[in-house]
Amino acid sequence: MSIESTHSHEDHTHAADHDDHHDHKPSSLLDRWLFTTNHKDIGTLYLVFSLLMFFIGGSMAMVIRAELFMPGLQLVEPDFFNQMTTMHALIMVFGAVMPAWVGFANWMIPMMIGAPDMALPRMNNWSFWILPFAFAMLLSTLFMDSGGPAAGWTLYPPLSLQSGQNFAFVVFAVHMMGISSIMGSINVIATILNMRAPGMTLLKMPLFVWTWLITAFLLIAVMPVLAGAVTMLLTDHFFGTSFFNAAGGGDPVMFQHIFWFFGHPEVYIMILPAFGVVSEIIPTFARKPLFGYSAMVYATASIAFLSFIVWAHHMFTVGMPLTGELFFMYATMLIAVPTGVKVFNWVSTMWRGSMTFETPMLFAIGFVVLFTIGGLSGLMLAIAAVDLQYHDTYFVVAHFHYVLVPGAVFALMAGAYYWLPKWTGRMYSEKWGKIHFWLSAISVNILFFPQHYLGLAGMPRRIPDYSTQFADFNMISSVGGFIFGASQLIFVGVIVHCVYKSRQTATGRVWEGAKGLEWILSSPPPYHSFNTPPVIDSTTMAHADESH
Amino acid sequence: MAHIADDTYYVPHGTKWPIIGSLGMITMLSSAAFWVNGSEIAPWSFLLGALILIYMMFGWFGEVIRESEAGMYNDQVDTSFRMGMMWFIFSEVMFFACFFGALFYARMFSVAWLGGEGTGALTNELLWQGYEAVWPTAGPEGLGGDFKTVPAFGVPFINTLILLFSGLTVTLAHHALKKNERGRLVFWLFATVVLGFFFVFLQVEEYIEAYQHLGLTLGSGIYGSTFFMLTGFHGMHVTLGAIMLLVIAIRSMRGHFKPDHHFGFEAVAWYWHFVDVVWLGLFIFVYVY
């Protein structure tokens, strides 16, 4: 499948550098960051913003774990505790993980497909610059008389309808996040479908690009549904409608159906790009092409399709007809098949590879192992009959934190370490990266593994106090939480050091085994990645020998 | 993949419009939140936010139009715009799907269960004895009082004909544009705009009738909720579409668009057909059936 290349890749790096004069970096700070249309600058904004949100949401998690350190009420009022669980979830989902992935998409997709920038650069700026305002509005509710939202991030009526002053602010903040996500996703799809360099056919695209294409589709399909759901909450609260009020012929359970029609694809929105990043990193450090590239693509698409028909497994205890329970149980279990294909392919990629264990690879392997644990507890939860026992216990908390923290967040860390030298042109401190990994990997298990036991023993989620029999595991979990939280400060230290202090410059290739178009550019890459389309040569692609 | 004509890409320079849009949006939405909480000055700051957003749209679209008319956009940019509009309309489809879903859920499940069907037998027996599941309904407690529905084959049927006819007129305008018959283009566009606003006018009349004579309000239980949310959001989209058509008509009078290059026209036409199709769904499932 190799296309004859007329000149070498090094020529391209030069050509891109050479053309740089016609649209160079703006000089003033305002022009550079506020008015920017550059995919790298916008990507940086997204990443910095999400890191800030990660620490704000993380500090709320610290409050939660501090309160749960011992039985009894010690630090906060129960209502404030509920505000913390609610805000922690909203901020981590919509403020940390999702914008972080959009940041990666912005930085990497144009480079990976050989484009100069995103397809709609001005809209790209707006997608980002809505977010700080949306989160300012969301966070401002904490300072209102009513306090912040406290009914859980799922905003279930009738409880959420009893919220005070904060309610409308939360709803409109969610609307703004939705508008931002939809515009960002439209941009990603248009970029991938329209801006690929000639010869970059769909099935030559890097897995990260593929997973983001499918993620963007999911986002455009479900964010409007969330917007509709919160709009109905708003009108039920303020304008006398009866969507979720049985007295008027509506049904609170209807909200749950609509919410989870959004909510289940949403969890894949947070994890599919993680699959993509891990699929980039493992071949690099195993020095082997990705095993089963096309199977990975089809598995991603299958997971996305299934994500639309499994939502009611979040509500097995709500009183659904038996046929409904069975359908959603079997459909949910089906997801294990494409996910299993993925895990098998990652392991097979490593099989007999010449592996080295730099920080990105450590995080990627940590992802494969720990995400799989989260996946398996998910299978347990999928069994409707036993979910009656697990539902709304700490087992659920353990499950989704395994897929989101050592899952999505580890993949974000892996990606950040993997591409940091490419972005900055300097190497980060491998020693501190490894310390960050080992502290995180150990503490995350101390933090979340005991929560499985707590849940199985019957400890409910979203409570500030608990029976004394849960004391030991909670204390262990809290200690793990504090170590994990503190360890993330190392990450900030590594980034700051890499950007401002590191003396060790990175080569264009950065990693010996790295494949893909982003590595034929210099480190840091030129302001506009490719001013002329690069020539696609299958030996530069991560899954090169697939068709030979 | 679009064909790249001359091996160079188009990347626009920096822009101040998005940040102005964000300021307008946060002003408008935070004001809306203060407004529903009873603030007295919030309606004015809401208006201010809306004006900032309108200013942003004039500025942003104006810049894009000037660049387009100056021939700065190649085929690839055109394709990006087309994809952007297509996927935006898809997001709108999903937004309406949410409210249609609420309508179907209420009609097929929640009302039936409240009436005692399936697992709802005890609910009916213990909470709302004697409630019969019928449609339309204001629920077991008849929230909002007695009401009558809007007959399908009155104003709604006329509105159906208006929208279908407007779909025809916008297509006639498109054909005229392709043949470069500017007079007919402008004529059919204005005909579409008039039909669009006439639809909105009749809808407003229908709402007044519903509130004043039929007793049908937003608070009329699940029927009133679904009726006004679906037709209301649709009406807002028709209004928006008609304004977009008006802009396109004025641009056509100024000589914009070429027979082979007129994305702005097509985007608005797509949008118009989208609100048309949504209306057909509304007419069938809200009014007729």
Side-chain angles (χ1 to χ4, degrees):
Chain A
M1 281 214 334
S2 140
I3 292 164
E4 280 303 311
S5 115
T6 47
H7 44 265
S8 76
H9 303 306
E10 281 68 26
D11 285 349
H12 263 290
T13 320
H14 267 280
D17 268 331
H18 194 69
D19 283 357
D20 217 15
H21 64 268
H22 91 104
D23 209 346
H24 51 79
K25 279 181 202 174
S27 45
S28 91
L29 272 182
L30 212 62
D31 282 352
R32 172 84 192 269
W33 298 110
L34 211 55
F35 301 157
T36 181
T37 48
N38 181 274
H39 74 102
K40 299 190 185 77
D41 286 346
I42 295 171
T44 303
L45 286 169
Y46 265 110
L47 290 171
V48 171
F49 175 79
S50 63
L51 192 61
L52 179 69
M53 288 295 137
F54 180 64
F55 279 96
I56 292 176
S59 56
M60 292 172 179
M62 294 299 106
V63 173
I64 293 168
R65 279 326 311 173
E67 175 57 49
L68 293 173
F69 187 71
M70 284 192 297
L73 294 175
Q74 12 265 337
L75 293 172
V76 294
E77 294 295 314
D79 184 59
F80 187 73
F81 182 90
N82 290 342
Q83 293 173 34
M84 289 291 101
T85 56
T86 305
M87 290 291 260
H88 165 72
L90 287 171
I91 286 170
M92 287 305 201
V93 170
F94 294 104
V97 176
M98 288 169 67
W101 285 131
V102 184
F104 274 93
N106 260 297
W107 254 102
M108 300 318 300
I109 288 174
M111 290 205 269
M112 287 177 144
I113 62 173
D117 206 299
M118 298 290 278
L120 302 158
R122 288 183 180 128
M123 193 172 78
N124 201 14
N125 174 307
W126 204 21
S127 309
F128 171 76
W129 276 109
I130 287 173
L131 284 180
F133 294 97
F135 281 88
M137 184 148 80
L138 181 66
L139 285 166
S140 73
T141 61
L142 285 172
F143 304 100
M144 293 174 180
D145 292 340
S146 64
W153 82 285
T154 52
L155 301 169
Y156 279 5
L159 186 60
S160 66
L161 296 177
Q162 294 161 21
S163 308
Q165 196 189 2
N166 64 56
F167 189 69
F169 293 90
V170 174
V171 166
F172 290 130
V174 170
H175 278 140
M176 289 177 76
M177 295 166 202
I179 292 167
S180 159
S181 287
I182 290 167
M183 288 198 297
S185 304
I186 288 173
N187 218 339
V188 166
I189 292 188
T191 305
I192 296 173
L193 294 184
N194 191 38
M195 305 291 280
R196 299 193 313 281
M200 175 65 81
T201 55
L202 283 174
L203 281 173
K204 275 189 190 169
M205 296 194 310
L207 239 282
F208 180 70
V209 179
W210 254 114
T211 52
W212 239 113
L213 179 65
I214 292 167
T215 302
F217 170 76
L218 291 180
L219 272 165
I220 301 176
V222 301
M223 290 310 284
V225 176
L226 175 68
V230 296
T231 303
M232 286 187 264
L233 283 179
L234 189 80
T235 58
D236 267 19
H237 193 307
F238 293 104
F239 301 106
T241 57
S242 306
F243 289 106
F244 311 126
N245 178 6
D251 187 354
V253 176
M254 178 164 84
F255 178 84
Q256 301 185 17
H257 280 291
I258 297 172
F259 181 86
W260 287 113
F261 182 83
F262 146 79
H264 200 79
E266 170 68 23
V267 306
Y268 293 109
I269 286 161
M270 290 188 281
I271 205 68
L272 290 183
F275 291 168
V277 165
V278 169
S279 304
E280 301 297 324
I281 292 172
I282 290 181
T284 295
F285 296 98
R287 291 164 182 77
K288 272 178 65 191
L290 184 68
F291 184 89
Y293 167 83
S294 47
M296 286 299 224
V297 172
Y298 296 131
T300 310
S302 309
I303 292 172
F305 168 74
L306 287 171
S307 75
F308 284 107
I309 55 166
V310 297
W311 75 86
H313 67 218
H314 295 269
M315 27 192 302
F316 277 146
T317 58
V318 88
M320 269 187 295
L322 183 65
T323 37
E325 305 241 342
L326 289 174
F327 171 80
F328 286 108
M329 175 171 91
Y330 292 131
T332 304
M333 290 177 156
L334 218 50
I335 297 178
V337 177
T339 313
V341 167
K342 283 184 167 295
V343 175
F344 179 85
N345 285 352
W346 290 322
V347 175
S348 303
T349 305
M350 288 186 269
W351 175 254
R352 292 188 156 177
S354 312
M355 294 215 287
T356 49
F357 299 94
E358 288 85 345
T359 312
M361 183 62 160
L362 289 175
F363 272 104
I365 294 172
F367 170 91
V368 174
V369 174
L370 298 174
F371 173 80
T372 305
I373 293 176
L376 291 174
S377 61
L379 266 180
M380 293 170 70
L381 287 162
I383 305 166
V386 293
D387 181 67
L388 299 183
Q389 173 78 15
Y390 307 147
H391 188 87
D392 264 353
T393 68
Y394 256 83
F395 191 83
V396 179
V397 177
H399 156 70
F400 69 70
H401 279 98
Y402 259 90
V403 291
L404 284 175
V405 183
V409 173
F410 269 31
L412 283 165
M413 299 292 178
Y417 283 110
Y418 186 53
W419 285 308
L420 202 54
K422 169 57 62 185
W423 298 337
T424 61
R426 299 191 188 91
M427 292 305 286
Y428 61 87
S429 160
E430 194 62 51
K431 179 180 132 198
W432 282 100
K434 282 182 173 144
I435 292 172
H436 174 219
F437 168 75
W438 284 110
L439 277 172
S440 299
I442 293 167
S443 62
V444 85
N445 284 291
I446 302 172
L447 166 57
F448 293 121
F449 209 83
Q451 296 182 359
H452 290 113
Y453 301 124
L454 286 169
L456 292 176
M459 178 170 158
R461 62 191 286 208
R462 292 171 173 164
I463 48 146
D465 188 9
Y466 49 82
S467 172
T468 48
Q469 83 242 28
F470 304 129
D472 293 352
F473 279 135
N474 266 302
M475 196 175 278
I476 294 169
S477 178
S478 287
V479 169
F482 301 144
I483 302 173
F484 184 81
S487 308
Q488 303 322 305
L489 296 171
I490 299 171
F491 181 57
V492 179
V494 173
I495 293 174
V496 170
H497 171 263
C498 178
V499 174
Y500 296 106
K501 291 266 191 252
S502 176
R503 297 251 171 82
Q504 201 188 344
T505 52
T507 61
R509 179 72 52 188
V510 182
W511 312 106
E512 183 197 28
K515 296 276 179 79
L517 288 181
E518 76 264 38
W519 307 109
I520 68 173
L521 292 166
S522 56
S523 299
Y527 198 55
H528 293 297
S529 305
F530 292 96
N531 281 325
T532 53
V535 175
I536 309 299
D537 174 349
S538 67
T539 56
T540 63
M541 308 306 292
H543 41 86
D545 63 1
E546 170 91 27
S547 57
H548 289 268
Chain B
M1 228 179 308
H3 175 65
I4 298 146
D6 50 0
D7 265 16
T8 53
Y9 291 113
Y10 174 77
V11 179
H13 55 79
T15 171
K16 66 180 178 182
W17 299 114
I19 192 72
I20 292 173
S22 293
L23 287 169
M25 191 186 278
I26 190 71
T27 308
M28 194 171 91
L29 289 181
S30 61
S31 302
F34 279 112
W35 193 351
V36 294
N37 279 310
S39 160
E40 278 173 19
I41 55 157
W44 298 103
S45 53
F46 180 89
L47 187 68
L48 175 70
L51 288 174
I52 297 173
L53 270 179
I54 290 168
Y55 168 68
M56 177 276 281
M57 283 192 239
F58 265 95
W60 192 334
F61 289 137
E63 200 168 309
V64 172
I65 290 165
R66 275 191 300 280
E67 288 177 3
S68 173
E69 290 299 311
M72 287 165 76
Y73 295 161
N74 57 23
D75 287 352
Q76 192 175 31
V77 176
D78 195 65
T79 307
S80 290
F81 284 166
R82 281 166 196 280
M83 288 182 173
M85 191 66 194
M86 265 168 48
W87 288 100
F88 168 65
I89 290 176
F90 174 62
S91 78
E92 292 270 51
V93 168
M94 292 309 292
F95 183 72
F96 277 98
C98 177
F99 293 103
F100 273 107
L103 174 70
F104 296 149
Y105 184 92
R107 291 186 64 170
M108 290 174 69
F109 299 121
S110 66
V111 170
W113 287 335
L114 289 168
E117 194 199 81
T119 51
L122 273 179
T123 307
N124 183 257
E125 183 65 26
L126 297 175
L127 286 175
W128 286 298
Q129 213 170 25
Y131 172 66
E132 262 184 77
V134 287
W135 189 264
T137 179
E141 291 187 7
L143 296 185
D146 288 339
F147 66 87
K148 292 200 198 76
T149 58
V150 178
F153 289 91
V155 172
F157 184 65
I158 295 171
N159 262 349
T160 308
L161 295 180
I162 288 173
L163 273 196
L164 285 176
F165 191 60
S166 75
L168 178 70
T169 54
V170 80
T171 305
L172 287 172
H174 194 190
H175 284 293
L177 173 56
K178 279 183 171 170
K179 289 182 198 147
N180 210 15
E181 297 170 4
R182 308 293 300 191
R184 280 179 52 213
L185 163 68
V186 173
F187 173 79
W188 287 120
L189 267 178
F190 273 104
T192 316
V193 172
V194 169
L195 288 169
F197 282 114
F198 191 51
F199 173 96
V200 176
F201 169 74
L202 287 182
Q203 177 115 35
V204 171
E205 288 290 313
E206 180 188 301
Y207 276 15
I208 292 170
E209 169 81 6
Y211 263 76
Q212 291 185 343
H213 301 294
L214 302 176
L216 175 62
T217 69
L218 193 58
S220 299
I222 189 67
Y223 184 85
S225 309
T226 50
F227 176 84
F228 281 105
M229 284 291 254
L230 275 163
T231 57
F233 272 118
H234 178 263
M236 281 156 67
H237 281 77
V238 173
T239 310
L240 192 69
I243 293 170
M244 285 155 64
L245 279 166
L246 185 63
V247 172
I248 293 299
I250 293 168
R251 286 185 62 193
S252 298
M253 285 170 70
R254 290 186 179 180
H256 290 192
F257 306 124
K258 295 182 190 72
D260 58 344
H261 192 78
H262 47 263
F263 162 72
F265 178 96
E266 283 176 287
V268 173
W270 294 345
Y271 195 78
W272 195 249
H273 288 306
F274 153 72
V275 296
D276 202 350
V277 171
V278 172
W279 175 260
L280 292 179
L282 283 180
F283 184 64
I284 294 166
F285 294 111
V286 175
Y287 291 100
V288 177
Y289 171 63

PDB file of all heavy atoms in Angstrom, chain A residues 251-265:
ATOM      1  N   ASP A 251     -43.777  11.412  34.394  1.00  0.00           N
ATOM      2  CA  ASP A 251     -43.150  10.309  35.107  1.00  0.00           C
ATOM      3  C   ASP A 251     -41.707  10.688  35.446  1.00  0.00           C
ATOM      4  O   ASP A 251     -40.927  10.981  34.537  1.00  0.00           O
ATOM      5  CB  ASP A 251     -43.163   9.071  34.206  1.00  0.00           C
ATOM      6  CG  ASP A 251     -42.671   7.829  34.935  1.00  0.00           C
ATOM      7  OD1 ASP A 251     -42.220   7.962  36.083  1.00  0.00           O
ATOM      8  OD2 ASP A 251     -42.757   6.741  34.344  1.00  0.00           O
ATOM      9  N   PRO A 252     -41.339  10.697  36.741  1.00  0.00           N
ATOM     10  CA  PRO A 252     -39.937  10.989  37.073  1.00  0.00           C
ATOM     11  C   PRO A 252     -38.976   9.997  36.429  1.00  0.00           C
ATOM     12  O   PRO A 252     -37.834  10.347  36.127  1.00  0.00           O
ATOM     13  CB  PRO A 252     -39.884  10.878  38.600  1.00  0.00           C
ATOM     14  CG  PRO A 252     -41.273  10.683  39.080  1.00  0.00           C
ATOM     15  CD  PRO A 252     -42.162  10.430  37.928  1.00  0.00           C
ATOM     16  N   VAL A 253     -39.452   8.763  36.217  1.00  0.00           N
ATOM     17  CA  VAL A 253     -38.584   7.754  35.607  1.00  0.00           C
ATOM     18  C   VAL A 253     -38.262   8.118  34.156  1.00  0.00           C
ATOM     19  O   VAL A 253     -37.211   7.769  33.633  1.00  0.00           O
ATOM     20  CB  VAL A 253     -39.233   6.355  35.708  1.00  0.00           C
ATOM     21  CG1 VAL A 253     -38.395   5.312  35.000  1.00  0.00           C
ATOM     22  CG2 VAL A 253     -39.413   5.978  37.169  1.00  0.00           C
ATOM     23  N   MET A 254     -39.180   8.859  33.519  1.00  0.00           N
ATOM     24  CA  MET A 254     -38.905   9.298  32.153  1.00  0.00           C
ATOM     25  C   MET A 254     -37.613  10.108  32.101  1.00  0.00           C
ATOM     26  O   MET A 254     -36.838   9.989  31.166  1.00  0.00           O
ATOM     27  CB  MET A 254     -40.062  10.130  31.622  1.00  0.00           C
ATOM     28  CG  MET A 254     -39.824  10.656  30.224  1.00  0.00           C
ATOM     29  SD  MET A 254     -41.346  11.212  29.482  1.00  0.00           S
ATOM     30  CE  MET A 254     -41.485  12.859  30.130  1.00  0.00           C
ATOM     31  N   PHE A 255     -37.387  10.936  33.128  1.00  0.00           N
ATOM     32  CA  PHE A 255     -36.138  11.701  33.152  1.00  0.00           C
ATOM     33  C   PHE A 255     -34.951  10.755  33.144  1.00  0.00           C
ATOM     34  O   PHE A 255     -33.957  10.980  32.456  1.00  0.00           O
ATOM     35  CB  PHE A 255     -36.057  12.620  34.369  1.00  0.00           C
ATOM     36  CG  PHE A 255     -34.746  13.367  34.421  1.00  0.00           C
ATOM     37  CD1 PHE A 255     -34.587  14.532  33.695  1.00  0.00           C
ATOM     38  CD2 PHE A 255     -33.674  12.876  35.145  1.00  0.00           C
ATOM     39  CE1 PHE A 255     -33.372  15.208  33.694  1.00  0.00           C
ATOM     40  CE2 PHE A 255     -32.452  13.547  35.148  1.00  0.00           C
ATOM     41  CZ  PHE A 255     -32.315  14.715  34.427  1.00  0.00           C
ATOM     42  N   GLN A 256     -35.053   9.699  33.936  1.00  0.00           N
ATOM     43  CA  GLN A 256     -33.924   8.761  34.009  1.00  0.00           C
ATOM     44  C   GLN A 256     -33.654   8.133  32.644  1.00  0.00           C
ATOM     45  O   GLN A 256     -32.497   7.971  32.240  1.00  0.00           O
ATOM     46  CB  GLN A 256     -34.196   7.683  35.056  1.00  0.00           C
ATOM     47  CG  GLN A 256     -34.417   8.274  36.443  1.00  0.00           C
ATOM     48  CD  GLN A 256     -34.557   7.197  37.510  1.00  0.00           C
ATOM     49  OE1 GLN A 256     -34.206   6.047  37.313  1.00  0.00           O
ATOM     50  NE2 GLN A 256     -35.087   7.585  38.665  1.00  0.00           N
ATOM     51  N   HIS A 257     -34.730   7.780  31.941  1.00  0.00           N
ATOM     52  CA  HIS A 257     -34.534   7.207  30.603  1.00  0.00           C
ATOM     53  C   HIS A 257     -33.840   8.209  29.685  1.00  0.00           C
ATOM     54  O   HIS A 257     -32.880   7.870  28.981  1.00  0.00           O
ATOM     55  CB  HIS A 257     -35.885   6.816  29.999  1.00  0.00           C
ATOM     56  CG  HIS A 257     -36.410   5.508  30.516  1.00  0.00           C
ATOM     57  ND1 HIS A 257     -35.834   4.306  30.214  1.00  0.00           N
ATOM     58  CD2 HIS A 257     -37.465   5.227  31.318  1.00  0.00           C
ATOM     59  CE1 HIS A 257     -36.506   3.325  30.803  1.00  0.00           C
ATOM     60  NE2 HIS A 257     -37.510   3.861  31.492  1.00  0.00           N
ATOM     61  N   ILE A 258     -34.341   9.451  29.684  1.00  0.00           N
ATOM     62  CA  ILE A 258     -33.762  10.450  28.778  1.00  0.00           C
ATOM     63  C   ILE A 258     -32.331  10.758  29.205  1.00  0.00           C
ATOM     64  O   ILE A 258     -31.417  10.813  28.380  1.00  0.00           O
ATOM     65  CB  ILE A 258     -34.612  11.732  28.762  1.00  0.00           C
ATOM     66  CG1 ILE A 258     -36.007  11.426  28.224  1.00  0.00           C
ATOM     67  CG2 ILE A 258     -33.945  12.799  27.898  1.00  0.00           C
ATOM     68  CD1 ILE A 258     -36.975  12.580  28.354  1.00  0.00           C
ATOM     69  N   PHE A 259     -32.139  10.925  30.526  1.00  0.00           N
ATOM     70  CA  PHE A 259     -30.795  11.250  31.002  1.00  0.00           C
ATOM     71  C   PHE A 259     -29.797  10.166  30.607  1.00  0.00           C
ATOM     72  O   PHE A 259     -28.698  10.451  30.127  1.00  0.00           O
ATOM     73  CB  PHE A 259     -30.765  11.437  32.522  1.00  0.00           C
ATOM     74  CG  PHE A 259     -29.389  11.791  33.009  1.00  0.00           C
ATOM     75  CD1 PHE A 259     -28.975  13.106  33.020  1.00  0.00           C
ATOM     76  CD2 PHE A 259     -28.499  10.802  33.415  1.00  0.00           C
ATOM     77  CE1 PHE A 259     -27.690  13.439  33.425  1.00  0.00           C
ATOM     78  CE2 PHE A 259     -27.213  11.127  33.810  1.00  0.00           C
ATOM     79  CZ  PHE A 259     -26.810  12.453  33.830  1.00  0.00           C
ATOM     80  N   TRP A 260     -30.164   8.913  30.797  1.00  0.00           N
ATOM     81  CA  TRP A 260     -29.188   7.854  30.519  1.00  0.00           C
ATOM     82  C   TRP A 260     -29.072   7.539  29.046  1.00  0.00           C
ATOM     83  O   TRP A 260     -28.084   6.952  28.609  1.00  0.00           O
ATOM     84  CB  TRP A 260     -29.479   6.603  31.353  1.00  0.00           C
ATOM     85  CG  TRP A 260     -29.108   6.841  32.796  1.00  0.00           C
ATOM     86  CD1 TRP A 260     -29.949   6.922  33.858  1.00  0.00           C
ATOM     87  CD2 TRP A 260     -27.786   7.075  33.316  1.00  0.00           C
ATOM     88  NE1 TRP A 260     -29.252   7.191  35.010  1.00  0.00           N
ATOM     89  CE2 TRP A 260     -27.929   7.283  34.708  1.00  0.00           C
ATOM     90  CE3 TRP A 260     -26.513   7.133  32.752  1.00  0.00           C
ATOM     91  CZ2 TRP A 260     -26.827   7.540  35.530  1.00  0.00           C
ATOM     92  CZ3 TRP A 260     -25.430   7.393  33.583  1.00  0.00           C
ATOM     93  CH2 TRP A 260     -25.592   7.589  34.941  1.00  0.00           C
ATOM     94  N   PHE A 261     -30.074   7.957  28.258  1.00  0.00           N
ATOM     95  CA  PHE A 261     -29.868   7.867  26.804  1.00  0.00           C
ATOM     96  C   PHE A 261     -28.700   8.760  26.409  1.00  0.00           C
ATOM     97  O   PHE A 261     -27.936   8.433  25.502  1.00  0.00           O
ATOM     98  CB  PHE A 261     -31.136   8.280  26.038  1.00  0.00           C
ATOM     99  CG  PHE A 261     -30.964   8.149  24.551  1.00  0.00           C
ATOM    100  CD1 PHE A 261     -31.136   6.921  23.933  1.00  0.00           C
ATOM    101  CD2 PHE A 261     -30.589   9.239  23.776  1.00  0.00           C
ATOM    102  CE1 PHE A 261     -30.938   6.792  22.568  1.00  0.00           C
ATOM    103  CE2 PHE A 261     -30.390   9.111  22.409  1.00  0.00           C
ATOM    104  CZ  PHE A 261     -30.570   7.875  21.811  1.00  0.00           C
ATOM    105  N   PHE A 262     -28.580   9.902  27.114  1.00  0.00           N
ATOM    106  CA  PHE A 262     -27.368  10.709  26.989  1.00  0.00           C
ATOM    107  C   PHE A 262     -26.211  10.081  27.768  1.00  0.00           C
ATOM    108  O   PHE A 262     -25.097   9.955  27.276  1.00  0.00           O
ATOM    109  CB  PHE A 262     -27.622  12.127  27.516  1.00  0.00           C
ATOM    110  CG  PHE A 262     -26.419  12.744  28.183  1.00  0.00           C
ATOM    111  CD1 PHE A 262     -25.397  13.295  27.436  1.00  0.00           C
ATOM    112  CD2 PHE A 262     -26.293  12.749  29.570  1.00  0.00           C
ATOM    113  CE1 PHE A 262     -24.283  13.831  28.052  1.00  0.00           C
ATOM    114  CE2 PHE A 262     -25.181  13.289  30.181  1.00  0.00           C
ATOM    115  CZ  PHE A 262     -24.163  13.833  29.429  1.00  0.00           C
ATOM    116  N   GLY A 263     -26.505   9.677  29.000  1.00  0.00           N
ATOM    117  CA  GLY A 263     -25.449   9.347  29.945  1.00  0.00           C
ATOM    118  C   GLY A 263     -24.631   8.134  29.577  1.00  0.00           C
ATOM    119  O   GLY A 263     -23.431   8.093  29.832  1.00  0.00           O
ATOM    120  N   HIS A 264     -25.265   7.125  28.959  1.00  0.00           N
ATOM    121  CA  HIS A 264     -24.415   5.982  28.653  1.00  0.00           C
ATOM    122  C   HIS A 264     -23.443   6.243  27.516  1.00  0.00           C
ATOM    123  O   HIS A 264     -22.253   5.997  27.674  1.00  0.00           O
ATOM    124  CB  HIS A 264     -25.165   4.666  28.496  1.00  0.00           C
ATOM    125  CG  HIS A 264     -24.176   3.560  28.690  1.00  0.00           C
ATOM    126  ND1 HIS A 264     -23.756   3.149  29.934  1.00  0.00           N
ATOM    127  CD2 HIS A 264     -23.405   2.893  27.811  1.00  0.00           C
ATOM    128  CE1 HIS A 264     -22.792   2.268  29.799  1.00  0.00           C
ATOM    129  NE2 HIS A 264     -22.565   2.094  28.523  1.00  0.00           N
ATOM    130  N   PRO A 265     -23.918   6.797  26.371  1.00  0.00           N
ATOM    131  CA  PRO A 265     -22.908   7.200  25.373  1.00  0.00           C
ATOM    132  C   PRO A 265     -21.855   8.140  25.975  1.00  0.00           C
ATOM    133  O   PRO A 265     -20.685   8.085  25.609  1.00  0.00           O
ATOM    134  CB  PRO A 265     -23.747   7.885  24.292  1.00  0.00           C
ATOM    135  CG  PRO A 265     -25.071   7.198  24.374  1.00  0.00           C
ATOM    136  CD  PRO A 265     -25.287   6.938  25.832  1.00  0.00           C
TER     137      PRO A 265
END
